[in-house]
């Protein structure tokens, strides 16, 4: 962390007080909250580290008479010395006003409307300042934007959250203190309304406001807590952690489509192992994968899942591609392979049994986290190819290597072996086969006895001589 930033933190602690945290701030009247302002010469954020697209959005908002501030992870990561991939902008303009301001933009979302502004391949997410659901039209800080629409379930979950407000209200509506920091090119300062700089220095993950209330409003916040704790290697504040154990089951109420997106964030961030361990600690994994959790008590399946997540983290660190299809294939494999074995005992042949087992397991999983077809199909192919990999006689091995899913299926085979499954050396055979010349490959397959191939049935009927001759 930059020395300049550390000096700034010391001044924040002096102003806010050593024990100050978001739960010590009076959130009942946001109009009374004054930010701690860190001027341009006292923080480490430089415009050269902010994308041109984000700077253009802030500039256009200012020229249009609106506020435009960089907020959330972009500010947090810049202060920590990182280089953010995404930049989010907060504004007092409504989604409709933002949409009219930028030609290449569109409004998305129903629960809370946001605007995506596109610059080539880069998309900048612009959100209107959120407000309190008990607010009046006027604020001590000024008039609030119109288009106020909200809805809340009996459990306290927010079903619709298009309630707009001021920047002070927006700050206390955000989930974590470290994500409620704002940077503006109007004066190039950083604004802290909730003690986020204090928690950045102390490496603490803290929910803004009462954690139980915030989790009931949106249970996904519990996943964000563990995800950022793992990503940043921060500790979770005791008050923030305490309600999670009791409320983890409320994740079952979240739409499956939204949960799929959350799973990708959890397991494709390069910290999948740490995230998984925290999810298990707080009981957050079972609501997402209820049919898998019981099998993880078996050491073999636990090792397989851990190894899959570790391999994913390694590939991400190396800059190699990863796919949700492979991650889901590993997470659901315990249920699939055991269900297949049950069907085989009932007399179903191995291949149809695998197909049926995959369909049943995926159908149940779709109730908790949806799996788009573009990932679901490759996932099932990875499973079904596990039955074809042992069949290597003749030209079957060469044809297998031409299959577009061969590499993923081969990697999955190695994963099964790493977890302790005995495949009779199949992984090593395929590794050697890929490294041999064409002639050597022919020699490797020439004497293989294909255990899975069926013997050819004779067409000769008993007692009949089918020998032919010219005299017949």
């Amino acid at each position: 962390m930059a020395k300049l930033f550390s000096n700034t933190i010391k001044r924040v602690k002096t102003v806010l007080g050593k024990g100050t945290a978001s739960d010590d701030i009076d959130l009942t009247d946001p109009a009374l909250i004054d930010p701690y302002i860190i001027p341009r010469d006292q923080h480490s954020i430089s415009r050269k580290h902010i994308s041109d697209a984000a700077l253009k959005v802030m500039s256009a908002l200012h020229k249009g008479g609106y506020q435009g501030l960089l907020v959330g992870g972009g500010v947090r990561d810049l202060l920590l010395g990182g280089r953010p991939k995404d930049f989010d902008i907060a504004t007092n303009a409504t989604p409709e006003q933002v949409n009219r301001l930028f030609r290449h933009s569109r409004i998305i979302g129903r629960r809370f409307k946001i605007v995506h502004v596109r610059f080539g391949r880069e998309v900048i997410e612009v959100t209107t300042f959120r407000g309190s659901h008990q607010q009046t039209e006027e604020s001590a800080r000024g008039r609030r934007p119109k288009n106020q629409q909200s809805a809340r379930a009996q459990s306290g979950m927010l079903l619709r959250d298009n309630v707009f407000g001021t920047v002070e209200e927006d700050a206390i509506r955000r989930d974590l203190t470290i994500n409620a920091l704002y940077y503006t090119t109007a004066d190039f300062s950083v604004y802290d309304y909730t003690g986020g700089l204090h928690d950045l220095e102390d490496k603490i993950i803290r929910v803004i406001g009462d954690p139980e209330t915030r989790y009931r409003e949106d249970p996904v916040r519990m996943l964000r807590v563990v995800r950022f704790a793992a990503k940043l290697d921060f500790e979770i504040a005791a008050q923030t952690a305490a309600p999670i154990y009791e409320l983890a089951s409320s994740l079952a109420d979240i739409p499956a489509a939204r949960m799929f997106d959350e799973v990708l964030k959890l397991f494709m961030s390069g910290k999948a192992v740490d995230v998984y361990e925290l999810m298990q600690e707080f009981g957050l994994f079972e609501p997402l994968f209820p049919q898998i959790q019981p099998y993880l008590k078996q050491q073999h399946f636990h090792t397989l899942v851990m190894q899959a997540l570790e391999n994913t983290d390694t590939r991400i660190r190396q800059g190699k591609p990863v796919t949700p299809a492979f991650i889901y294939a590993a997470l659901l494999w315990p249920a699939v392979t055991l269900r297949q074995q049950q069907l085989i005992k009932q007399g179903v042949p191995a291949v149809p049994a695998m197909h049926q087992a995959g369909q049943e397991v995926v159908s149940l999983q779709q109730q908790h986290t949806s799996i788009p077809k573009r990932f679901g199909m490759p996932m099932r192919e990875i499973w079904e190819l596990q039955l074809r990999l042992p069949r290597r006689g003749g030209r079957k091995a060469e044809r297998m290597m031409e299959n577009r899913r061969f590499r993923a299926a081969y990697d999955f085979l190695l994963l099964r072996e790493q977890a302790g499954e005995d495949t009779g050396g199949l992984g090593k055979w395929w590794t050697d086969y890929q490294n041999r010349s064409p002639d050597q490959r022919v020699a490797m397959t020439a004497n293989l006895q294909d255990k899975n191939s069926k013997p050819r049935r004779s067409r000769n009927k008993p007692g009949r001589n089918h020998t032919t001759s010219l005299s017949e």
Side-chain angles (χ1 to χ4, degrees), residues 142-191:
R143 190 175 182 86
R144 296 183 176 89
K146 293 184 178 180
N147 191 21
Q148 313 293 315
Q149 298 177 359
S150 67
R152 189 187 297 264
Q154 290 184 350
S155 64
M157 186 187 303
L158 293 176
L159 304 177
R160 187 159 297 182
D161 196 16
N162 293 304
V163 178
F164 305 137
T166 63
V167 63
E168 294 83 9
E169 292 163 336
D170 185 74
I172 63 174
R173 285 294 313 280
R174 292 188 175 270
D175 51 5
L176 308 176
T177 60
I178 61 172
N179 290 339
L181 300 168
Y182 298 76
Y183 170 83
T184 175
T185 53
D187 60 6
F188 308 106
S189 297
V190 173
Y191 289 70

Side-chain angles (χ1 to χ4, degrees), residues 289-353:
F289 297 91
Q291 61 178 325
I292 308 304
Q293 184 66 31
Y295 301 129
L296 298 178
K297 296 177 182 178
Q298 300 181 34
Q299 185 61 42
H300 166 68
F301 290 132
H302 170 75
T303 302
L304 183 140
V305 168
M306 290 293 290
Q307 190 64 55
L309 298 177
E310 184 176 328
N311 292 352
T312 299
D313 288 343
T314 299
R315 291 183 65 87
I316 291 174
R317 286 194 297 268
Q318 295 174 346
K320 296 180 180 179
V322 294
T323 172
F326 192 89
I327 295 174
Y328 266 90
L331 291 174
L332 299 180
W333 176 251
V336 170
T337 186
L338 290 180
R339 178 56 180 152
Q340 185 216 17
Q341 292 172 18
Q342 291 175 353
L343 292 169
I344 290 176
K345 290 180 180 178
Q346 296 171 14
V348 181
V351 174

Side-chain angles (χ1 to χ4, degrees), residues 28 67 126 133 139 150 180 183 203 223 231 236 239 255 258 268 310 313 322 368 417-419 426 434 466:
T28 58
Q67 293 174 277
V126 182
H133 287 244
S139 163
S150 67
Y183 170 83
K203 297 185 176 182
L223 296 179
K231 175 182 178 180
I236 302 174
Q239 288 183 327
R258 185 181 179 200
M268 298 185 67
E310 184 176 328
D313 288 343
V322 294
H368 303 279
E417 293 184 339
Q418 288 173 329
L426 191 60
Q434 294 174 76
H466 282 261

Side-chain angles (χ1 to χ4, degrees), residues 400-447:
M400 171 63 75
M401 283 191 59
E402 295 172 358
N403 189 298
R404 61 176 180 170
R405 305 294 181 205
F406 166 74
R407 184 67 199 189
Y410 163 73
D411 288 342
F412 197 81
L413 170 66
L414 297 184
L415 178 65
R416 290 164 54 203
E417 293 184 339
Q418 288 173 329
E421 184 175 341
D422 184 8
T423 66
L426 191 60
K428 183 179 185 307
W429 190 94
W430 276 108
T431 301
D432 293 342
Y433 186 80
Q434 294 174 76
N435 294 325
R436 299 294 175 85
S437 67
D439 290 341
Q440 290 172 326
R441 290 178 179 178
V442 171
M444 287 182 68
T445 59
N447 298 319

Side-chain angles (χ1 to χ4, degrees), residues 58 60-69 89-98 101 126-130 141-148 163-170 174 182:
M58 286 190 283
L61 287 168
H62 294 159
K63 289 179 181 179
Y66 305 110
Q67 293 174 277
L69 300 94
I89 307 297
T91 179
N92 59 340
T94 66
E96 292 74 19
Q97 290 170 330
V98 174
L101 199 60
V126 182
T127 60
T128 303
F129 295 145
R130 287 173 288 184
R141 302 286 185 176
R143 190 175 182 86
R144 296 183 176 89
K146 293 184 178 180
N147 191 21
Q148 313 293 315
V163 178
F164 305 137
T166 63
V167 63
E168 294 83 9
E169 292 163 336
D170 185 74
R174 292 188 175 270
Y182 298 76

